[in-house]
Structures are given as C-alpha cells and as structure tokens.
Amino acid sequence: MAVSIKSEREIELMREAGRRLAIVHHELGQAIKPGISTWEIDQMGERLIRDFDCIPSFLNYHGFPASICVSVNDEVVHGIPKKTRILQEGDIVSLDAGLIYKGYHSDAARTHGVGNIDEEAKRLIDVTKQSFFEGIRYARQGCHLYDISNAIDAYVTANGYGIVRDLVGHGIGTGLHEDPQIPNFRQKRKGIKLSKGMTLAIEPMINQGRYDVVWLKDDWTVVTEDGTLSAHYENTVLITEGEAEILSI
C-alpha cells in the first residue's frame, strides 16, 4: 500500500479545494426545503463548483451521471438526482459532493433535515456527525489508521446504530480514491501508522437499524436493507503532528 505524503504546495492546493467545497455545501444546505427536486440540487451544485473554476469530481466518474450524490431517507449513498424526486417535509437528505481544484480533489458529505424532522431522525444525524469527530481525535501522526475506525465504532455502537461495512473512507489527493481504505467499524489489526502530510476522506455512513445494505438496479444507489434511515458525514482531513486539520469545513 502506497499512501502519498503531500508537499506544502500540494497541501495549499488541497486547502483551497476544501475551502471552496465547504462553501458549496453551505449553499446547498441553505437550499434544502420541501418541494425542491434532487435534480435541482444537483444542478445548483454543479453550477457552484464550476463558478469556482473547479471540476465536479463525481460527474462521469465510472459513469456516475451527476455532480452531486443526493440520497434520501433509506438511501445511504450514491443517490442519482431526478426531476421527479421531490423532497418532502420530514425527509432527511444526504449530499455527497467533490470537486477538483488545479488537479487536487476535495470530498465531503452532509445530511440535512427537510423542514421539520422527528427527534429520532435528528439524533441519527447528530450521532453520525459526532462519530466523525470522535474518529479524527486519532487522525494524527503516530496513531494507527484503525484507531480512527475503532473510535467511530465505539461511539456509534454505544448509541445503538448500524455502521455500514460495504463502503469505507479513503485516501485522497490527485485521485478521488487513493490508498488507504478507512473502515468505520472496529478492526482487529492496527493498520498503517499515520504520518504528517497524509490526506484522508473520513466518512461514517450510519444506519438507524442494521448495517446491511443493498444496491438498487441502477447499480449506484445504496439503500438500507431493512428500510430504515441512513445518514452520512464526511470531510477531507490533513494529518499533522497534532490535531487533524479539516480541509473541507
């Protein structure tokens, strides 16, 4: 496994990529409301990314037909935007977006409530987000990769939710998906030792029920097998000697 160590110039480019992506996510989050279609969200996201002189990472990536993955309720990830998919009051929606700035990727995801959502949906979103922050406490030089995985697992399991096992986080840089893979569930091994200059996309995907997922016939959309809600939270982070630097927030 070859995990790239970024130079200071590369880190600056990834910082800027992350800064721009954070603004895209903020603007998209402000647009979430009952009555908007997932297609409109995608169109807005692509326009914002291109207005920043960036390229959407996801558009045509292995054939994916959109710039923003828009996943609603029991959809875990990779939801394909559609004009006919209209967000309703009480839904939750996960937006996964990535962009390329001067050859370098940034990748981040957020889950939003649509209008007023029930307390259980709010709790799922909150636990998913906090699990990311529990994990990155160990995203620092000298720790091991699976320290991140184990911390996420400990927090999520204590809260009674299922951690998706078929999809994981990843390294990131000039490629959208680089080594290493980063599970969000407990591992028996330690994994590689983390070093200053590594850049990782850490992304807990948490189900209200069991961890099992299935792929729909479009070969992209992943849904919970038991039909329960799912939430997703992701950021691109830089490993330093101290606390991880979050590049996409």
Side-chain angles (χ1 to χ4, degrees), residues 40-78:
E40 289 175 288
I41 295 168
D42 174 64
Q43 293 299 295
M44 179 181 177
E46 180 173 351
R47 183 173 66 252
L48 287 165
I49 290 169
R50 294 195 187 280
D51 284 350
F52 270 133
D53 294 323
C54 296
I55 300 167
S57 295
F58 299 167
L59 185 61
N60 300 317
Y61 183 74
H62 295 303
F64 188 76
S67 298
I68 311 295
C69 297
V70 188
S71 306
V72 184
N73 293 334
D74 67 333
E75 296 172 352
V76 181
V77 286
H78 306 159

PDB file of all heavy atoms in Angstrom, residues 40-78:
ATOM      1  N   GLU A  40     -32.689  19.533  -9.065  1.00  0.00           N
ATOM      2  CA  GLU A  40     -32.378  20.957  -8.870  1.00  0.00           C
ATOM      3  C   GLU A  40     -31.169  21.126  -7.953  1.00  0.00           C
ATOM      4  O   GLU A  40     -30.336  22.019  -8.176  1.00  0.00           O
ATOM      5  CB  GLU A  40     -33.592  21.678  -8.278  1.00  0.00           C
ATOM      6  CG  GLU A  40     -34.754  21.852  -9.232  1.00  0.00           C
ATOM      7  CD  GLU A  40     -35.957  22.456  -8.544  1.00  0.00           C
ATOM      8  OE1 GLU A  40     -36.611  21.746  -7.735  1.00  0.00           O
ATOM      9  OE2 GLU A  40     -36.249  23.641  -8.803  1.00  0.00           O
ATOM     10  N   ILE A  41     -31.072  20.281  -6.923  1.00  0.00           N
ATOM     11  CA  ILE A  41     -29.913  20.337  -6.028  1.00  0.00           C
ATOM     12  C   ILE A  41     -28.634  20.040  -6.807  1.00  0.00           C
ATOM     13  O   ILE A  41     -27.620  20.734  -6.664  1.00  0.00           O
ATOM     14  CB  ILE A  41     -30.090  19.339  -4.869  1.00  0.00           C
ATOM     15  CG1 ILE A  41     -31.279  19.744  -3.997  1.00  0.00           C
ATOM     16  CG2 ILE A  41     -28.809  19.258  -4.028  1.00  0.00           C
ATOM     17  CD1 ILE A  41     -31.705  18.670  -3.016  1.00  0.00           C
ATOM     18  N   ASP A  42     -28.692  19.033  -7.648  1.00  0.00           N
ATOM     19  CA  ASP A  42     -27.524  18.672  -8.448  1.00  0.00           C
ATOM     20  C   ASP A  42     -27.132  19.806  -9.391  1.00  0.00           C
ATOM     21  O   ASP A  42     -25.936  20.132  -9.527  1.00  0.00           O
ATOM     22  CB  ASP A  42     -27.816  17.398  -9.245  1.00  0.00           C
ATOM     23  CG  ASP A  42     -26.691  17.058 -10.198  1.00  0.00           C
ATOM     24  OD1 ASP A  42     -25.577  16.774  -9.722  1.00  0.00           O
ATOM     25  OD2 ASP A  42     -26.915  17.088 -11.428  1.00  0.00           O
ATOM     26  N   GLN A  43     -28.105  20.394 -10.057  1.00  0.00           N
ATOM     27  CA  GLN A  43     -27.815  21.479 -10.997  1.00  0.00           C
ATOM     28  C   GLN A  43     -27.187  22.668 -10.276  1.00  0.00           C
ATOM     29  O   GLN A  43     -26.236  23.272 -10.785  1.00  0.00           O
ATOM     30  CB  GLN A  43     -29.098  21.904 -11.711  1.00  0.00           C
ATOM     31  CG  GLN A  43     -29.671  20.840 -12.637  1.00  0.00           C
ATOM     32  CD  GLN A  43     -28.715  20.472 -13.758  1.00  0.00           C
ATOM     33  OE1 GLN A  43     -28.399  21.300 -14.610  1.00  0.00           O
ATOM     34  NE2 GLN A  43     -28.244  19.238 -13.758  1.00  0.00           N
ATOM     35  N   MET A  44     -27.714  22.992  -9.124  1.00  0.00           N
ATOM     36  CA  MET A  44     -27.152  24.082  -8.331  1.00  0.00           C
ATOM     37  C   MET A  44     -25.724  23.767  -7.903  1.00  0.00           C
ATOM     38  O   MET A  44     -24.821  24.611  -7.976  1.00  0.00           O
ATOM     39  CB  MET A  44     -28.025  24.333  -7.105  1.00  0.00           C
ATOM     40  CG  MET A  44     -27.517  25.433  -6.199  1.00  0.00           C
ATOM     41  SD  MET A  44     -28.591  25.657  -4.740  1.00  0.00           S
ATOM     42  CE  MET A  44     -27.679  26.938  -3.874  1.00  0.00           C
ATOM     43  N   GLY A  45     -25.498  22.510  -7.454  1.00  0.00           N
ATOM     44  CA  GLY A  45     -24.165  22.110  -7.028  1.00  0.00           C
ATOM     45  C   GLY A  45     -23.148  22.196  -8.143  1.00  0.00           C
ATOM     46  O   GLY A  45     -22.028  22.710  -7.959  1.00  0.00           O
ATOM     47  N   GLU A  46     -23.522  21.710  -9.332  1.00  0.00           N
ATOM     48  CA  GLU A  46     -22.586  21.770 -10.456  1.00  0.00           C
ATOM     49  C   GLU A  46     -22.277  23.209 -10.832  1.00  0.00           C
ATOM     50  O   GLU A  46     -21.117  23.558 -11.101  1.00  0.00           O
ATOM     51  CB  GLU A  46     -23.139  21.025 -11.670  1.00  0.00           C
ATOM     52  CG  GLU A  46     -22.183  21.070 -12.844  1.00  0.00           C
ATOM     53  CD  GLU A  46     -22.590  20.210 -14.027  1.00  0.00           C
ATOM     54  OE1 GLU A  46     -23.548  19.419 -13.899  1.00  0.00           O
ATOM     55  OE2 GLU A  46     -21.940  20.328 -15.078  1.00  0.00           O
ATOM     56  N   ARG A  47     -23.300  24.051 -10.822  1.00  0.00           N
ATOM     57  CA  ARG A  47     -23.088  25.468 -11.168  1.00  0.00           C
ATOM     58  C   ARG A  47     -22.135  26.131 -10.173  1.00  0.00           C
ATOM     59  O   ARG A  47     -21.205  26.854 -10.564  1.00  0.00           O
ATOM     60  CB  ARG A  47     -24.424  26.193 -11.202  1.00  0.00           C
ATOM     61  CG  ARG A  47     -24.318  27.654 -11.632  1.00  0.00           C
ATOM     62  CD  ARG A  47     -25.685  28.276 -11.817  1.00  0.00           C
ATOM     63  NE  ARG A  47     -26.424  28.368 -10.561  1.00  0.00           N
ATOM     64  CZ  ARG A  47     -27.464  27.608 -10.253  1.00  0.00           C
ATOM     65  NH1 ARG A  47     -27.905  26.692 -11.097  1.00  0.00           N
ATOM     66  NH2 ARG A  47     -28.085  27.756  -9.088  1.00  0.00           N
ATOM     67  N   LEU A  48     -22.328  25.872  -8.884  1.00  0.00           N
ATOM     68  CA  LEU A  48     -21.450  26.449  -7.870  1.00  0.00           C
ATOM     69  C   LEU A  48     -20.008  25.978  -8.053  1.00  0.00           C
ATOM     70  O   LEU A  48     -19.066  26.775  -7.965  1.00  0.00           O
ATOM     71  CB  LEU A  48     -21.949  26.066  -6.473  1.00  0.00           C
ATOM     72  CG  LEU A  48     -23.211  26.760  -5.980  1.00  0.00           C
ATOM     73  CD1 LEU A  48     -23.778  26.015  -4.772  1.00  0.00           C
ATOM     74  CD2 LEU A  48     -22.917  28.216  -5.619  1.00  0.00           C
ATOM     75  N   ILE A  49     -19.849  24.693  -8.276  1.00  0.00           N
ATOM     76  CA  ILE A  49     -18.500  24.138  -8.454  1.00  0.00           C
ATOM     77  C   ILE A  49     -17.804  24.780  -9.654  1.00  0.00           C
ATOM     78  O   ILE A  49     -16.646  25.203  -9.567  1.00  0.00           O
ATOM     79  CB  ILE A  49     -18.566  22.606  -8.603  1.00  0.00           C
ATOM     80  CG1 ILE A  49     -18.949  21.961  -7.259  1.00  0.00           C
ATOM     81  CG2 ILE A  49     -17.230  22.047  -9.096  1.00  0.00           C
ATOM     82  CD1 ILE A  49     -19.305  20.485  -7.368  1.00  0.00           C
ATOM     83  N   ARG A  50     -18.505  24.896 -10.758  1.00  0.00           N
ATOM     84  CA  ARG A  50     -17.903  25.468 -11.969  1.00  0.00           C
ATOM     85  C   ARG A  50     -17.675  26.972 -11.822  1.00  0.00           C
ATOM     86  O   ARG A  50     -16.692  27.508 -12.355  1.00  0.00           O
ATOM     87  CB  ARG A  50     -18.759  25.148 -13.188  1.00  0.00           C
ATOM     88  CG  ARG A  50     -18.797  23.650 -13.498  1.00  0.00           C
ATOM     89  CD  ARG A  50     -19.337  23.347 -14.886  1.00  0.00           C
ATOM     90  NE  ARG A  50     -19.513  21.920 -15.101  1.00  0.00           N
ATOM     91  CZ  ARG A  50     -18.549  21.066 -15.418  1.00  0.00           C
ATOM     92  NH1 ARG A  50     -17.295  21.489 -15.528  1.00  0.00           N
ATOM     93  NH2 ARG A  50     -18.812  19.780 -15.613  1.00  0.00           N
ATOM     94  N   ASP A  51     -18.541  27.646 -11.076  1.00  0.00           N
ATOM     95  CA  ASP A  51     -18.329  29.078 -10.831  1.00  0.00           C
ATOM     96  C   ASP A  51     -17.067  29.323 -10.016  1.00  0.00           C
ATOM     97  O   ASP A  51     -16.500  30.421 -10.057  1.00  0.00           O
ATOM     98  CB  ASP A  51     -19.538  29.676 -10.096  1.00  0.00           C
ATOM     99  CG  ASP A  51     -20.737  29.901 -11.010  1.00  0.00           C
ATOM    100  OD1 ASP A  51     -20.589  29.777 -12.244  1.00  0.00           O
ATOM    101  OD2 ASP A  51     -21.841  30.186 -10.482  1.00  0.00           O
ATOM    102  N   PHE A  52     -16.631  28.307  -9.271  1.00  0.00           N
ATOM    103  CA  PHE A  52     -15.382  28.378  -8.516  1.00  0.00           C
ATOM    104  C   PHE A  52     -14.173  27.948  -9.356  1.00  0.00           C
ATOM    105  O   PHE A  52     -13.080  27.741  -8.820  1.00  0.00           O
ATOM    106  CB  PHE A  52     -15.461  27.485  -7.281  1.00  0.00           C
ATOM    107  CG  PHE A  52     -15.994  28.162  -6.057  1.00  0.00           C
ATOM    108  CD1 PHE A  52     -16.975  27.568  -5.278  1.00  0.00           C
ATOM    109  CD2 PHE A  52     -15.493  29.382  -5.649  1.00  0.00           C
ATOM    110  CE1 PHE A  52     -17.460  28.172  -4.130  1.00  0.00           C
ATOM    111  CE2 PHE A  52     -15.959  30.008  -4.502  1.00  0.00           C
ATOM    112  CZ  PHE A  52     -16.952  29.400  -3.745  1.00  0.00           C
ATOM    113  N   ASP A  53     -14.370  27.820 -10.669  1.00  0.00           N
ATOM    114  CA  ASP A  53     -13.304  27.366 -11.571  1.00  0.00           C
ATOM    115  C   ASP A  53     -12.778  25.988 -11.171  1.00  0.00           C
ATOM    116  O   ASP A  53     -11.574  25.704 -11.259  1.00  0.00           O
ATOM    117  CB  ASP A  53     -12.142  28.375 -11.620  1.00  0.00           C
ATOM    118  CG  ASP A  53     -12.566  29.691 -12.252  1.00  0.00           C
ATOM    119  OD1 ASP A  53     -13.366  29.666 -13.208  1.00  0.00           O
ATOM    120  OD2 ASP A  53     -12.102  30.747 -11.782  1.00  0.00           O
ATOM    121  N   CYS A  54     -13.701  25.149 -10.720  1.00  0.00           N
ATOM    122  CA  CYS A  54     -13.367  23.776 -10.352  1.00  0.00           C
ATOM    123  C   CYS A  54     -14.159  22.806 -11.228  1.00  0.00           C
ATOM    124  O   CYS A  54     -15.083  23.201 -11.946  1.00  0.00           O
ATOM    125  CB  CYS A  54     -13.687  23.524  -8.883  1.00  0.00           C
ATOM    126  SG  CYS A  54     -12.696  24.526  -7.729  1.00  0.00           S
ATOM    127  N   ILE A  55     -13.801  21.551 -11.142  1.00  0.00           N
ATOM    128  CA  ILE A  55     -14.446  20.491 -11.902  1.00  0.00           C
ATOM    129  C   ILE A  55     -15.165  19.572 -10.921  1.00  0.00           C
ATOM    130  O   ILE A  55     -14.587  19.196  -9.895  1.00  0.00           O
ATOM    131  CB  ILE A  55     -13.404  19.679 -12.699  1.00  0.00           C
ATOM    132  CG1 ILE A  55     -12.651  20.580 -13.686  1.00  0.00           C
ATOM    133  CG2 ILE A  55     -14.050  18.494 -13.427  1.00  0.00           C
ATOM    134  CD1 ILE A  55     -11.409  19.920 -14.274  1.00  0.00           C
ATOM    135  N   PRO A  56     -16.429  19.193 -11.190  1.00  0.00           N
ATOM    136  CA  PRO A  56     -17.099  18.228 -10.321  1.00  0.00           C
ATOM    137  C   PRO A  56     -16.365  16.878 -10.346  1.00  0.00           C
ATOM    138  O   PRO A  56     -16.148  16.311 -11.413  1.00  0.00           O
ATOM    139  CB  PRO A  56     -18.499  18.098 -10.929  1.00  0.00           C
ATOM    140  CG  PRO A  56     -18.670  19.302 -11.806  1.00  0.00           C
ATOM    141  CD  PRO A  56     -17.303  19.630 -12.300  1.00  0.00           C
ATOM    142  N   SER A  57     -15.987  16.389  -9.172  1.00  0.00           N
ATOM    143  CA  SER A  57     -15.256  15.112  -9.104  1.00  0.00           C
ATOM    144  C   SER A  57     -16.108  13.934  -9.544  1.00  0.00           C
ATOM    145  O   SER A  57     -15.601  12.959 -10.101  1.00  0.00           O
ATOM    146  CB  SER A  57     -14.793  14.851  -7.665  1.00  0.00           C
ATOM    147  OG  SER A  57     -13.859  15.799  -7.236  1.00  0.00           O
ATOM    148  N   PHE A  58     -17.409  13.997  -9.275  1.00  0.00           N
ATOM    149  CA  PHE A  58     -18.251  12.813  -9.434  1.00  0.00           C
ATOM    150  C   PHE A  58     -18.832  12.658 -10.829  1.00  0.00           C
ATOM    151  O   PHE A  58     -19.156  11.539 -11.232  1.00  0.00           O
ATOM    152  CB  PHE A  58     -19.421  12.853  -8.431  1.00  0.00           C
ATOM    153  CG  PHE A  58     -19.008  12.870  -6.987  1.00  0.00           C
ATOM    154  CD1 PHE A  58     -19.942  13.180  -6.007  1.00  0.00           C
ATOM    155  CD2 PHE A  58     -17.707  12.595  -6.592  1.00  0.00           C
ATOM    156  CE1 PHE A  58     -19.578  13.198  -4.664  1.00  0.00           C
ATOM    157  CE2 PHE A  58     -17.338  12.612  -5.263  1.00  0.00           C
ATOM    158  CZ  PHE A  58     -18.279  12.919  -4.296  1.00  0.00           C
ATOM    159  N   LEU A  59     -19.013  13.765 -11.562  1.00  0.00           N
ATOM    160  CA  LEU A  59     -19.685  13.705 -12.854  1.00  0.00           C
ATOM    161  C   LEU A  59     -18.910  12.813 -13.819  1.00  0.00           C
ATOM    162  O   LEU A  59     -17.739  13.064 -14.121  1.00  0.00           O
ATOM    163  CB  LEU A  59     -19.824  15.109 -13.433  1.00  0.00           C
ATOM    164  CG  LEU A  59     -20.605  15.218 -14.736  1.00  0.00           C
ATOM    165  CD1 LEU A  59     -22.040  14.737 -14.575  1.00  0.00           C
ATOM    166  CD2 LEU A  59     -20.570  16.665 -15.250  1.00  0.00           C
ATOM    167  N   ASN A  60     -19.553  11.740 -14.249  1.00  0.00           N
ATOM    168  CA  ASN A  60     -18.976  10.742 -15.166  1.00  0.00           C
ATOM    169  C   ASN A  60     -17.879   9.889 -14.537  1.00  0.00           C
ATOM    170  O   ASN A  60     -17.196   9.137 -15.246  1.00  0.00           O
ATOM    171  CB  ASN A  60     -18.460  11.395 -16.461  1.00  0.00           C
ATOM    172  CG  ASN A  60     -19.567  12.105 -17.212  1.00  0.00           C
ATOM    173  OD1 ASN A  60     -20.669  11.581 -17.330  1.00  0.00           O
ATOM    174  ND2 ASN A  60     -19.284  13.293 -17.716  1.00  0.00           N
ATOM    175  N   TYR A  61     -17.716   9.979 -13.216  1.00  0.00           N
ATOM    176  CA  TYR A  61     -16.737   9.128 -12.537  1.00  0.00           C
ATOM    177  C   TYR A  61     -17.250   7.691 -12.558  1.00  0.00           C
ATOM    178  O   TYR A  61     -18.276   7.382 -11.948  1.00  0.00           O
ATOM    179  CB  TYR A  61     -16.534   9.619 -11.104  1.00  0.00           C
ATOM    180  CG  TYR A  61     -15.491   8.858 -10.307  1.00  0.00           C
ATOM    181  CD1 TYR A  61     -14.137   9.041 -10.570  1.00  0.00           C
ATOM    182  CD2 TYR A  61     -15.859   7.974  -9.301  1.00  0.00           C
ATOM    183  CE1 TYR A  61     -13.181   8.362  -9.833  1.00  0.00           C
ATOM    184  CE2 TYR A  61     -14.906   7.293  -8.566  1.00  0.00           C
ATOM    185  CZ  TYR A  61     -13.563   7.485  -8.835  1.00  0.00           C
ATOM    186  OH  TYR A  61     -12.612   6.804  -8.117  1.00  0.00           O
ATOM    187  N   HIS A  62     -16.563   6.834 -13.292  1.00  0.00           N
ATOM    188  CA  HIS A  62     -17.020   5.456 -13.517  1.00  0.00           C
ATOM    189  C   HIS A  62     -18.455   5.418 -14.031  1.00  0.00           C
ATOM    190  O   HIS A  62     -19.197   4.466 -13.771  1.00  0.00           O
ATOM    191  CB  HIS A  62     -16.890   4.607 -12.243  1.00  0.00           C
ATOM    192  CG  HIS A  62     -15.477   4.404 -11.784  1.00  0.00           C
ATOM    193  ND1 HIS A  62     -14.496   3.840 -12.575  1.00  0.00           N
ATOM    194  CD2 HIS A  62     -14.878   4.702 -10.602  1.00  0.00           C
ATOM    195  CE1 HIS A  62     -13.348   3.794 -11.908  1.00  0.00           C
ATOM    196  NE2 HIS A  62     -13.555   4.318 -10.712  1.00  0.00           N
ATOM    197  N   GLY A  63     -18.863   6.486 -14.721  1.00  0.00           N
ATOM    198  CA  GLY A  63     -20.191   6.523 -15.315  1.00  0.00           C
ATOM    199  C   GLY A  63     -21.270   7.165 -14.465  1.00  0.00           C
ATOM    200  O   GLY A  63     -22.435   7.202 -14.890  1.00  0.00           O
ATOM    201  N   PHE A  64     -20.925   7.687 -13.278  1.00  0.00           N
ATOM    202  CA  PHE A  64     -21.966   8.328 -12.461  1.00  0.00           C
ATOM    203  C   PHE A  64     -22.506   9.547 -13.203  1.00  0.00           C
ATOM    204  O   PHE A  64     -21.737  10.392 -13.674  1.00  0.00           O
ATOM    205  CB  PHE A  64     -21.427   8.737 -11.093  1.00  0.00           C
ATOM    206  CG  PHE A  64     -22.496   9.211 -10.157  1.00  0.00           C
ATOM    207  CD1 PHE A  64     -23.350   8.303  -9.548  1.00  0.00           C
ATOM    208  CD2 PHE A  64     -22.678  10.564  -9.892  1.00  0.00           C
ATOM    209  CE1 PHE A  64     -24.366   8.726  -8.697  1.00  0.00           C
ATOM    210  CE2 PHE A  64     -23.684  10.990  -9.040  1.00  0.00           C
ATOM    211  CZ  PHE A  64     -24.528  10.068  -8.443  1.00  0.00           C
ATOM    212  N   PRO A  65     -23.850   9.681 -13.306  1.00  0.00           N
ATOM    213  CA  PRO A  65     -24.431  10.670 -14.222  1.00  0.00           C
ATOM    214  C   PRO A  65     -24.687  12.055 -13.640  1.00  0.00           C
ATOM    215  O   PRO A  65     -25.416  12.839 -14.245  1.00  0.00           O
ATOM    216  CB  PRO A  65     -25.754  10.001 -14.612  1.00  0.00           C
ATOM    217  CG  PRO A  65     -26.154   9.243 -13.387  1.00  0.00           C
ATOM    218  CD  PRO A  65     -24.860   8.749 -12.783  1.00  0.00           C
ATOM    219  N   ALA A  66     -24.130  12.380 -12.490  1.00  0.00           N
ATOM    220  CA  ALA A  66     -24.433  13.668 -11.856  1.00  0.00           C
ATOM    221  C   ALA A  66     -23.204  14.188 -11.114  1.00  0.00           C
ATOM    222  O   ALA A  66     -22.212  13.484 -10.937  1.00  0.00           O
ATOM    223  CB  ALA A  66     -25.615  13.520 -10.901  1.00  0.00           C
ATOM    224  N   SER A  67     -23.311  15.453 -10.671  1.00  0.00           N
ATOM    225  CA  SER A  67     -22.213  16.090  -9.937  1.00  0.00           C
ATOM    226  C   SER A  67     -22.345  15.943  -8.432  1.00  0.00           C
ATOM    227  O   SER A  67     -21.339  16.000  -7.710  1.00  0.00           O
ATOM    228  CB  SER A  67     -22.162  17.584 -10.290  1.00  0.00           C
ATOM    229  OG  SER A  67     -21.895  17.755 -11.665  1.00  0.00           O
ATOM    230  N   ILE A  68     -23.576  15.790  -7.943  1.00  0.00           N
ATOM    231  CA  ILE A  68     -23.845  15.664  -6.512  1.00  0.00           C
ATOM    232  C   ILE A  68     -24.604  14.353  -6.285  1.00  0.00           C
ATOM    233  O   ILE A  68     -25.572  14.065  -6.989  1.00  0.00           O
ATOM    234  CB  ILE A  68     -24.707  16.829  -5.979  1.00  0.00           C
ATOM    235  CG1 ILE A  68     -24.157  18.193  -6.438  1.00  0.00           C
ATOM    236  CG2 ILE A  68     -24.812  16.765  -4.447  1.00  0.00           C
ATOM    237  CD1 ILE A  68     -22.802  18.555  -5.894  1.00  0.00           C
ATOM    238  N   CYS A  69     -24.168  13.564  -5.324  1.00  0.00           N
ATOM    239  CA  CYS A  69     -24.939  12.386  -4.906  1.00  0.00           C
ATOM    240  C   CYS A  69     -25.989  12.882  -3.910  1.00  0.00           C
ATOM    241  O   CYS A  69     -25.637  13.476  -2.880  1.00  0.00           O
ATOM    242  CB  CYS A  69     -24.044  11.350  -4.229  1.00  0.00           C
ATOM    243  SG  CYS A  69     -22.758  10.669  -5.275  1.00  0.00           S
ATOM    244  N   VAL A  70     -27.262  12.647  -4.226  1.00  0.00           N
ATOM    245  CA  VAL A  70     -28.361  13.125  -3.387  1.00  0.00           C
ATOM    246  C   VAL A  70     -29.160  11.909  -2.920  1.00  0.00           C
ATOM    247  O   VAL A  70     -29.888  11.298  -3.704  1.00  0.00           O
ATOM    248  CB  VAL A  70     -29.261  14.114  -4.144  1.00  0.00           C
ATOM    249  CG1 VAL A  70     -30.269  14.748  -3.188  1.00  0.00           C
ATOM    250  CG2 VAL A  70     -28.434  15.197  -4.834  1.00  0.00           C
ATOM    251  N   SER A  71     -29.004  11.544  -1.656  1.00  0.00           N
ATOM    252  CA  SER A  71     -29.549  10.292  -1.123  1.00  0.00           C
ATOM    253  C   SER A  71     -30.593  10.610  -0.057  1.00  0.00           C
ATOM    254  O   SER A  71     -30.297  11.314   0.915  1.00  0.00           O
ATOM    255  CB  SER A  71     -28.425   9.444  -0.529  1.00  0.00           C
ATOM    256  OG  SER A  71     -27.386   9.259  -1.492  1.00  0.00           O
ATOM    257  N   VAL A  72     -31.804  10.094  -0.243  1.00  0.00           N
ATOM    258  CA  VAL A  72     -32.951  10.474   0.579  1.00  0.00           C
ATOM    259  C   VAL A  72     -33.394   9.309   1.471  1.00  0.00           C
ATOM    260  O   VAL A  72     -33.564   8.180   1.005  1.00  0.00           O
ATOM    261  CB  VAL A  72     -34.130  10.924  -0.305  1.00  0.00           C
ATOM    262  CG1 VAL A  72     -35.295  11.412   0.554  1.00  0.00           C
ATOM    263  CG2 VAL A  72     -33.695  12.016  -1.284  1.00  0.00           C
ATOM    264  N   ASN A  73     -33.561   9.594   2.762  1.00  0.00           N
ATOM    265  CA  ASN A  73     -34.143   8.676   3.748  1.00  0.00           C
ATOM    266  C   ASN A  73     -33.359   7.371   3.862  1.00  0.00           C
ATOM    267  O   ASN A  73     -32.312   7.346   4.500  1.00  0.00           O
ATOM    268  CB  ASN A  73     -35.627   8.446   3.446  1.00  0.00           C
ATOM    269  CG  ASN A  73     -36.449   9.706   3.655  1.00  0.00           C
ATOM    270  OD1 ASN A  73     -36.071  10.581   4.434  1.00  0.00           O
ATOM    271  ND2 ASN A  73     -37.568   9.838   2.961  1.00  0.00           N
ATOM    272  N   ASP A  74     -33.837   6.267   3.267  1.00  0.00           N
ATOM    273  CA  ASP A  74     -33.148   4.979   3.405  1.00  0.00           C
ATOM    274  C   ASP A  74     -32.011   4.809   2.414  1.00  0.00           C
ATOM    275  O   ASP A  74     -31.333   3.788   2.425  1.00  0.00           O
ATOM    276  CB  ASP A  74     -34.136   3.815   3.281  1.00  0.00           C
ATOM    277  CG  ASP A  74     -34.740   3.692   1.889  1.00  0.00           C
ATOM    278  OD1 ASP A  74     -34.822   4.722   1.179  1.00  0.00           O
ATOM    279  OD2 ASP A  74     -35.138   2.579   1.497  1.00  0.00           O
ATOM    280  N   GLU A  75     -31.794   5.826   1.558  1.00  0.00           N
ATOM    281  CA  GLU A  75     -30.661   5.772   0.628  1.00  0.00           C
ATOM    282  C   GLU A  75     -29.396   6.181   1.371  1.00  0.00           C
ATOM    283  O   GLU A  75     -29.327   7.258   1.957  1.00  0.00           O
ATOM    284  CB  GLU A  75     -30.920   6.687  -0.567  1.00  0.00           C
ATOM    285  CG  GLU A  75     -32.116   6.240  -1.405  1.00  0.00           C
ATOM    286  CD  GLU A  75     -32.510   7.215  -2.474  1.00  0.00           C
ATOM    287  OE1 GLU A  75     -31.959   8.343  -2.510  1.00  0.00           O
ATOM    288  OE2 GLU A  75     -33.377   6.874  -3.296  1.00  0.00           O
ATOM    289  N   VAL A  76     -28.406   5.304   1.346  1.00  0.00           N
ATOM    290  CA  VAL A  76     -27.176   5.530   2.110  1.00  0.00           C
ATOM    291  C   VAL A  76     -26.263   6.491   1.366  1.00  0.00           C
ATOM    292  O   VAL A  76     -25.842   7.524   1.898  1.00  0.00           O
ATOM    293  CB  VAL A  76     -26.462   4.186   2.376  1.00  0.00           C
ATOM    294  CG1 VAL A  76     -25.190   4.403   3.190  1.00  0.00           C
ATOM    295  CG2 VAL A  76     -27.394   3.207   3.079  1.00  0.00           C
ATOM    296  N   VAL A  77     -25.934   6.155   0.140  1.00  0.00           N
ATOM    297  CA  VAL A  77     -25.041   6.958  -0.700  1.00  0.00           C
ATOM    298  C   VAL A  77     -25.386   6.741  -2.168  1.00  0.00           C
ATOM    299  O   VAL A  77     -26.122   5.819  -2.525  1.00  0.00           O
ATOM    300  CB  VAL A  77     -23.549   6.605  -0.492  1.00  0.00           C
ATOM    301  CG1 VAL A  77     -23.012   7.124   0.822  1.00  0.00           C
ATOM    302  CG2 VAL A  77     -23.303   5.120  -0.613  1.00  0.00           C
ATOM    303  N   HIS A  78     -24.810   7.612  -3.013  1.00  0.00           N
ATOM    304  CA  HIS A  78     -24.831   7.476  -4.477  1.00  0.00           C
ATOM    305  C   HIS A  78     -26.233   7.598  -5.076  1.00  0.00           C
ATOM    306  O   HIS A  78     -26.502   7.083  -6.157  1.00  0.00           O
ATOM    307  CB  HIS A  78     -24.178   6.163  -4.930  1.00  0.00           C
ATOM    308  CG  HIS A  78     -22.800   5.963  -4.418  1.00  0.00           C
ATOM    309  ND1 HIS A  78     -22.195   4.729  -4.336  1.00  0.00           N
ATOM    310  CD2 HIS A  78     -21.891   6.856  -3.940  1.00  0.00           C
ATOM    311  CE1 HIS A  78     -20.983   4.856  -3.836  1.00  0.00           C
ATOM    312  NE2 HIS A  78     -20.769   6.143  -3.583  1.00  0.00           N
TER     313      HIS A  78
END
